[in-house]
Amino acid sequence: MAISPLQLIRQATPGQRRTLLAASLGWALDAFDAMLYSLVLAMLMRDLGMSKTTAGSLGTLTLLASGIGGVIFGFLADRIGRKQALMASIVTYSVCSFASGLATSIAMLAVARFVLGLGMGGEWNTGATLVAESWPTEFRAKAISIVQSSWALGFAAAALVAGPVARYYGWRAVFFVGILPAIVTLWIQRRVPESEMWQEHATVPDEQWDVERKPPLLAKNARNGAPGRIEHDTGCPTSPRLWEKWGFSGAAGRYAAHQVSSRASMRTIFRAPYVKHTCALLLFNFFGMFAWWGLFTWLPPYLSLPVEQGGRGFGVMGMTTLMVVLDLCGMFPGYASFGWVADHIGRRKAFLLYSLAAALLIPLYAAARSQGVLLVLGTLVAFFGTGIFSGSGIMGSEIFPTAVRARALGFTYNGARTMSSLAPLVIGRVGQAKGLSWAFYLCAAGYLLAALMTTQLPETKGKRLE
């Protein structure tokens, strides 16, 4: 039976609701800080004397850093906990947004945007992992879609702030506003629970350490807590219940699961049965992100620049209006709807539907001239072109085991961000030479290739987390 977002939230426990809110706020504020750059890009190009190629290079630098940040914060999330890593990522991108407003040269701005990218990359996989491990299987896809949809709200908030603030106070003041998300970490620290699944795998019971002070692994055939050694296999199940089922006592079962979990490395996702799905999800994200970042990094200047400079001549406030409508009527429902669609027709078919629709709509958008047509087509492109990314967290959480889930999501999502980091630069250079309208055709090709990669992904609908 279909369930609405409000019903979903009502059925959740207080801890699950706070977890969902924390991840959603983190992702929304990530979008807020990340997209401020694009929204004031025309002003930055004018005041700092940047060409489209240089401006695109800074966007590329931020995306490159986000891939690195995804791996770093994914490692931290698997080691120190999902909540602590989430807080650290939010503080990182908030402080560096403020620092961007202090930049007096392109080099200073580049450093600030690079470090901001580290925090930006770390937020997604820590928040998505926290929600995936806190919500039950039947609601997981919908919950992650709600988290993902908050990006659109952050983007819309950024557009609402950047327009009037930049007009009256300049682009520096816009970046100064970006420090505000750091306040959210105070609430997260006090009110948001840590993932019980992570705690279960991270805690070694005291009674086990009393029996065996040394930290050897248990023997493969040991039973009922007999001490010994076990050959480490990073593909081994990490659930204490499974170890108990196989004959280990309660303490020994939990201890064995912990030992396997704590020593699981990134190599796990490059071994059977995960390697094919790791590569397919990485490439799917790469092609989709190349298209998304190439399009939406340049969309604000495309709309606001004069026609003679390759834009549509709507000005700052006209661009702000278009972007807010696009975010709230396109991105937000696109993100939020994906989980419901994926639960109805399956993960793979939903991926295919959204990516193909975006690929077909972008050429029509690039050819549009009137504000009304740009508004309608832009909303549809935003709906399908951004909605697919809700599926990445859903499918990634269902493919990979708890021991490496945060790192695996960080690699497949933020690793793809790193690979797609050339998108702003490529679109900028092509736009400089042939015009942004022509460059957007490359974004359509990206979504088409993402649709192709969908055929290599497994169907994970209804799968319980390992």
Side-chain angles (χ1 to χ4, degrees):
M1 184 176 66
I3 181 173
S4 70
L6 289 178
Q7 290 174 317
L8 177 71
I9 293 172
R10 287 195 192 102
Q11 291 186 22
T13 66
Q16 289 169 343
R17 285 195 290 268
R18 288 195 293 269
T19 296
L20 184 68
L21 179 59
S24 298
L25 282 173
W27 192 228
L29 297 172
D30 188 331
F32 181 85
D33 279 348
M35 299 313 298
L36 289 178
Y37 174 77
S38 294
L39 292 164
V40 298
L41 187 52
M43 293 183 178
L44 285 170
M45 291 169 64
R46 180 196 65 204
D47 291 353
L48 298 182
M50 293 193 296
S51 66
K52 288 179 181 176
T53 300
T54 302
S57 298
L58 292 186
T60 289
L61 190 65
T62 302
L63 291 179
L64 179 64
S66 73
I68 300 171
V71 174
I72 293 173
F73 282 94
F75 176 83
L76 288 175
D78 285 337
R79 294 289 178 174
I80 67 173
R82 315 322 194 187
K83 185 173 85 168
Q84 299 301 323
L86 176 64
M87 292 167 55
S89 67
I90 294 174
V91 170
T92 299
Y93 67 64
S94 300
V95 171
C96 290
S97 180
F98 184 89
S100 298
L102 300 175
T104 56
S105 67
I106 296 175
M108 290 179 64
L109 182 61
V111 171
R113 302 309 295 178
F114 180 84
V115 182
L116 180 144
L118 296 177
M120 168 185 162
E123 196 287 331
W124 183 84
N125 48 301
T126 53
T129 302
L130 182 61
V131 171
E133 293 176 352
S134 302
W135 282 69
T137 301
E138 61 270 24
F139 297 142
R140 185 188 309 126
K142 299 178 179 68
I144 292 180
S145 289
I146 290 175
V147 172
Q148 197 77 27
S149 68
S150 64
W151 176 277
L153 299 180
F155 199 158
L160 287 170
V161 169
V165 172
R167 182 176 181 179
Y168 294 107
Y169 302 103
W171 60 265
R172 294 185 186 278
V174 173
F175 284 130
F176 291 155
V177 175
I179 190 67
L180 296 179
I183 299 173
V184 173
T185 60
L186 300 176
W187 173 77
I188 294 176
Q189 176 64 35
R190 294 182 58 187
R191 301 287 294 167
V192 177
E194 181 56 89
S195 163
E196 292 183 4
M197 186 176 290
W198 177 83
Q199 290 178 322
E200 179 181 312
H201 287 78
T203 304
V204 179
D206 293 338
E207 62 267 29
Q208 181 62 41
W209 287 99
D210 289 339
V211 172
E212 185 65 31
R213 290 289 178 178
K214 297 181 296 181
L217 296 174
L218 298 178
K220 258 188 176 179
N221 59 354
R223 294 294 182 267
N224 299 320
R229 296 190 65 83
I230 183 172
E231 287 182 24
H232 176 57
D233 177 4
T234 54
C236 191
T238 56
S239 170
R241 296 184 185 90
L242 285 177
W243 286 88
E244 291 172 15
K245 181 179 178 181
W246 293 337
F248 288 91
S249 68
R254 292 191 299 273
Y255 181 61
H258 165 75
Q259 293 291 357
V260 171
S261 174
S262 63
R263 287 164 176 77
S265 71
M266 283 294 289
R267 290 175 297 187
T268 302
I269 66 175
F270 298 109
R271 296 174 178 169
Y274 304 115
V275 60
K276 176 184 176 182
H277 303 150
T278 297
C279 294
L281 188 57
L282 174 68
L283 290 174
F284 172 84
N285 286 331
F286 161 60
F287 291 127
M289 287 183 186
F290 183 94
W292 196 94
W293 285 106
L295 179 64
F296 286 96
T297 296
W298 285 104
L299 197 55
Y302 174 71
L303 294 172
S304 61
L305 284 172
V307 176
E308 56 271 17
Q309 295 182 28
R312 288 293 172 260
F314 294 125
V316 174
M317 297 309 294
M319 175 272 294
T320 298
T321 302
L322 283 172
M323 292 303 299
V324 170
V325 173
L326 182 149
D327 292 336
L328 297 181
C329 300
M331 287 188 187
F332 180 75
Y335 276 134
S337 67
F338 189 93
W340 274 258
V341 174
D343 276 347
H344 182 66
I345 67 174
R347 294 4 179 182
R348 292 208 312 176
K349 289 181 180 179
F351 269 148
L352 193 61
L353 171 64
Y354 278 60
S355 52
L356 282 177
L360 294 174
L361 287 166
I362 288 176
L364 300 177
Y365 182 79
R369 294 293 181 269
S370 72
Q371 185 168 343
V373 175
L374 284 168
L375 181 63
V376 174
L377 289 178
T379 299
L380 291 173
V381 169
F383 180 93
F384 291 106
T386 60
I388 62 171
F389 297 113
S390 289
S392 183
I394 296 168
M395 184 170 283
S397 296
E398 293 169 343
I399 289 174
F400 302 109
T402 300
V404 294
R405 183 170 295 120
R407 282 171 284 176
L409 288 180
F411 175 78
T412 56
Y413 192 86
N414 290 305
R417 265 183 174 175
T418 299
M419 294 167 62
S420 67
S421 62
L422 290 175
L425 174 60
V426 170
I427 299 303
R429 292 203 64 163
V430 174
Q432 185 96 13
K434 295 182 176 293
L436 287 172
S437 294
W438 197 95
F440 288 160
Y441 287 103
L442 295 177
C443 300
Y447 281 118
L448 192 61
L449 290 171
L452 181 63
M453 293 313 304
T454 297
T455 62
Q456 302 302 309
L457 290 169
E459 180 52 66
T460 58
K461 178 182 174 182
K463 181 181 178 182
R464 294 189 176 276
L465 299 189
E466 297 176 10

